Amino acid sequence: MSKTLILQVAVPKPLYSHFDYLPPVGFKNHLLQPGMRLRVPFGKKTVYVGMLLKVVAHSTVPVEKLKAVKEVIDSSPILSEENLDLLQWASQYYHHPIGEVITTALPTLLNKGHSAELPFLRGWKLTGAAGIPAKNAHQQRAVLSLLEQYPEGLSQIAITHHLSDNITATLRTLEKKGWITHQLISDTPKVEPFLPQSPLLLNVTQNQIFRQVCAQRQQFYPCLLDGVTGSGKTEIYLQIIQKVLDENRQALVLIPEINLTPQMIDRFKQRFAVPIGVWHHKITPRERLQTWLSAREGVTPIVIGTRSAVWVPLARPGIFIVDEEHDPSYKQQDHFRYSARDIAVVRAHRAQVPILLGSATPSLDSLYNARQQRYQHFVLPERAGTAIHPTFHLVDMRNQSDKRLSLPLKKAISQRLSAHQQVLLFINRRGYAPILMCYQCGWVAFCQHCDARLTYHESNKHLYCHHCGESRPVDIHCPQCQHPKLFLLGQGTERVEEELQQAFSQARILRIDSDSTRRKYAMTQILENIHKGEVDILVGTQMLAKGHHFPKVTLVGVINIDGGLYGTDFRDTERMGQLLVQVAGRAGRADEPGEVLIQTYHPDNPLLIRLIRKGYAAFADVALKERKAADFPPYSRLALLRAEAIELELAMDFLNKAKLQMPHCDGVQSWGPVSAPMERRDKWYRTQLLLQSEQRELLHRLLSQWLPLLPPLAGHKVRWSLDVDPQNLY
Ligand code: ADP
Ligand code: ZN
Ligand code: ZN
């Protein structure tokens, strides 16, 4: 009797374990390898695309109860052993179902069972050892002379197109003779034939970093590149990547924000005449597949992308780079809550290559790692160009009569306008006003579904909830006391825009927030207008704070910083510091010194003062001390169990039961359950239970034992999720 093989398969469902299947009837079992996709029956009717994790001899389920795989999709594994292992590691680390980890990591088309071949990209080129074909071998001659014109090779599709014949057999003959050879051809992304820009001459610090990283390029070498905006970090990336390419290895570059992508990609395209794989949410599923496959084949030497690009497999990894490593967008906030930055570090470690984490405002986590000497800390103190650092001023709003645009800010704006320079005003709220209120009875417009006030938007005179999307026309009378006048309190981008227009009627003002940039390419258009100097004053949300270069901006105004000073989350202070430095970094890039005015009701806040007088590093010192005193990360490890239900009791009940089931462990504390800071959102009540430990191993051991106990406790009315290393506690 032949031995039964059991296939352990990850199914794309939120299930904590794999499922066992039998091989398809009549299949040559020795062809089955982990990393292949299989179509598997699930439940009564469903068929899923699953991933073969392991082939074993035994199952915990009696063999006669196992179903057979319906179809083996791939003829060879689409995920290498290393890739598969990484995903399994991630599943364990984040305590997230392996099936969902895999679907997150694969392009959608592969999840749907699409072919993982690169059919359009298979091509051919001359080996250089060509002999002379027989006289009557017309096709062979035709192929050879065609390929002679394409020394880089030509895709099979293109060859067929040129010769309009079925030439597959001919190609094979030529290959057998050793005259031509397989070559993967990248059709997209296209490489423009141009002369690449030459690298800049590195300054002393840049050069030191460059040489040190290059010297360590055959091993894991995690580096924090801590340098203000414009200090030349990107130039260092580019030159190190060149070194990596010279060795025929690949680079993976992560960037945080979609709006940033075109600029960054352009800069890479200007430097390297090689195919660059691009990965972000605006490219089509087909393009994603292309990027993924060609990176895996090693055809694309450089891959640049946002968060989920961290899963793109590389044939020959040479370097990982995470730009703006502090950016919260690297952490996925739903389903599989991974941190792309942390995964990149793990990948670099596994591949034994360097990783560069770049930022003008490094996360406290990374700074801590640098201090612990887990990361090499490189500081780039000065801007590479000639520009000097902006100067900061605090405007004490307590003694300003205009509570929105203070006198000093208005004065500074007029000065810049008459000097034909640009101004950037930053306000962390879109819409017109965040509060609609009745002075008569105290009524305030709240969302029916969330614990949140509605924001008034002037553009269509509606009230919006920024949390659930609910909107309605604004009431004229107070719905509570029928008083005929309601007041709008506070300000958002639209209101600042209006007030500026009143104060500076001649100025060309442009508002930038997610409302004004919703259309595709709107942001590109806006950036172009700014660079052409067709705008005098920019008003925008944090969209403006990230990465964009505005060389003509010499004044940055921060309308209100106070939310960040006294926020509810333990990371609020860190984020406030980062945001201020990043916004300030937009100013005075060229030869004009920049100035930053910050409006605040708390001009004596010690952290704020430290930040503007001594800079981010000094600020981070104090912020780290506060974390240490509170025993928050990076001095401890957190995991947050969240639960939501339409009824508050159900969510609380679940967490209470969960807490009762929690294995005891000295060294792991649990806090709660409590309501989330925003207790209700989109009709769901939200609760949470926080786990904290100074030792990661203890916490993870507890989680591994505890999580399998939870699903039966939840019932179908409670949604719950676990967030390992949460970025925020709401
Ligand atoms: P960052 O990534 O830190 O913001 P960049 O690498 O983008 O810094 O550099 C900022 C500006 O300075 C760019 O315009 C870049 O071309 C220029 N630059 C960078 N390094 C040098 C150098 N060694 N010499 C001259 N200019 C440089
Ligand atoms: Zn009223
Ligand atoms: Zn709402």
Side-chain angles (χ1 to χ4, degrees), residues 446-454 464-471 678 680-683:
F446 266 89
C447 175
Q448 296 172 24
H449 312 305
C450 308
D451 283 327
R453 290 187 291 250
L454 295 171
Y464 280 90
C465 173
H466 288 178
H467 303 282
C468 71
E470 164 85 2
S471 77
M678 184 191 283
R680 193 158 165 263
R681 179 168 179 167
D682 207 0
K683 299 184 189 155

Side-chain angles (χ1 to χ4, degrees), residues 27 31-33 36-37 72-78 117:
F27 194 80
L31 295 179
L32 286 165
Q33 289 175 54
M36 288 179 168
R37 288 169 305 158
V72 179
I73 299 173
D74 302 304
S75 54
S76 59
I78 65 163
E117 299 277 304

Side-chain angles (χ1 to χ4, degrees), residues 417-697:
L417 292 181
S418 34
H420 302 289
Q421 295 167 355
Q422 286 176 334
V423 175
L424 188 159
L425 293 184
F426 172 80
I427 173 155
N428 215 355
R429 193 177 273 131
R430 65 198 171 85
Y432 188 84
I435 303 174
L436 178 69
M437 185 176 177
C438 170
Y439 279 171
Q440 194 78 14
C441 73
W443 174 88
V444 171
F446 266 89
C447 175
Q448 296 172 24
H449 312 305
C450 308
D451 283 327
R453 290 187 291 250
L454 295 171
T455 301
Y456 175 66
H457 284 240
E458 175 68 26
S459 43
N460 59 359
K461 310 221 172 341
H462 268 55
L463 290 167
Y464 280 90
C465 173
H466 288 178
H467 303 282
C468 71
E470 164 85 2
S471 77
R472 60 175 146 103
V474 69
D475 310 289
I476 297 175
H477 300 281
C478 169
Q480 192 164 279
C481 73
Q482 308 306 321
H483 188 72
K485 189 159 168 56
L486 295 170
F487 285 86
L488 289 164
L489 305 183
Q491 59 197 141
T493 44
E494 289 179 354
R495 193 171 210 171
V496 175
E497 183 187 16
E498 181 186 283
E499 285 158 357
L500 284 166
Q501 204 66 76
Q502 284 162 4
F504 307 99
S505 54
Q506 302 300 315
R508 296 161 300 175
I509 300 168
L510 188 68
R511 174 166 60 85
I512 301 183
D513 53 30
S514 55
D515 298 318
S516 72
T517 55
R518 198 153 286 155
R519 279 180 307 106
K520 207 175 174 183
Y521 305 122
M523 193 66 185
T524 319
Q525 188 61 49
I526 285 172
L527 291 175
E528 217 162 87
N529 291 349
I530 299 171
H531 287 291
K532 276 197 240 149
E534 289 167 4
V535 179
D536 301 313
I537 308 177
L538 295 156
V539 183
T541 57
Q542 60 193 17
M543 284 181 97
L544 272 183
K546 295 191 180 167
H548 301 297
H549 297 186
F550 302 126
K552 297 197 182 82
V553 169
T554 55
L555 171 69
V556 172
V558 180
I559 300 290
N560 187 347
I561 193 67
D562 295 344
L565 291 178
Y566 299 98
T568 50
D569 200 82
F570 78 96
R571 284 190 209 269
D572 280 346
T573 320
E574 176 183 358
R575 299 242 188 280
M576 182 273 297
Q578 289 165 344
L579 199 62
L580 267 190
V581 175
Q582 298 279 345
V583 181
R586 307 301 118 216
R589 302 257 327 189
D591 43 0
E592 294 288 342
E595 187 184 6
V596 183
L597 281 187
I598 302 168
Q599 301 193 147
T600 175
Y601 285 89
H602 302 278
D604 38 17
N605 178 287
L607 266 170
L608 185 58
I609 291 177
R610 198 168 172 92
L611 179 69
I612 66 169
R613 292 218 185 117
K614 302 235 163 99
Y616 184 79
F619 160 84
D621 275 340
V622 177
L624 268 170
K625 281 195 187 112
E626 285 187 356
R627 291 279 183 89
K628 184 164 192 189
D631 202 20
F632 267 127
Y635 297 93
S636 69
R637 296 283 171 168
L638 299 181
L640 190 65
L641 182 66
R642 294 188 175 89
E644 311 182 329
I646 298 292
E647 290 162 60
L648 177 62
E649 293 71 33
L650 287 177
M652 277 296 184
D653 247 26
F654 166 70
L655 290 185
N656 276 317
K657 283 190 212 144
K659 191 169 177 174
L660 282 176
Q661 298 271 328
M662 193 187 299
H664 175 78
C665 176
D666 283 330
V668 180
Q669 293 84 43
S670 68
W671 308 97
V674 293
S675 293
M678 184 191 283
E679 189 182 64
R680 193 158 165 263
R681 179 168 179 167
D682 207 0
K683 299 184 189 155
W684 290 73
Y685 281 95
R686 307 152 80 231
T687 58
Q688 55 194 37
L689 180 62
L690 183 67
L691 274 68
Q692 183 175 31
S693 176
E694 279 176 22
Q695 283 164 283
R696 175 157 58 197
E697 297 70 32

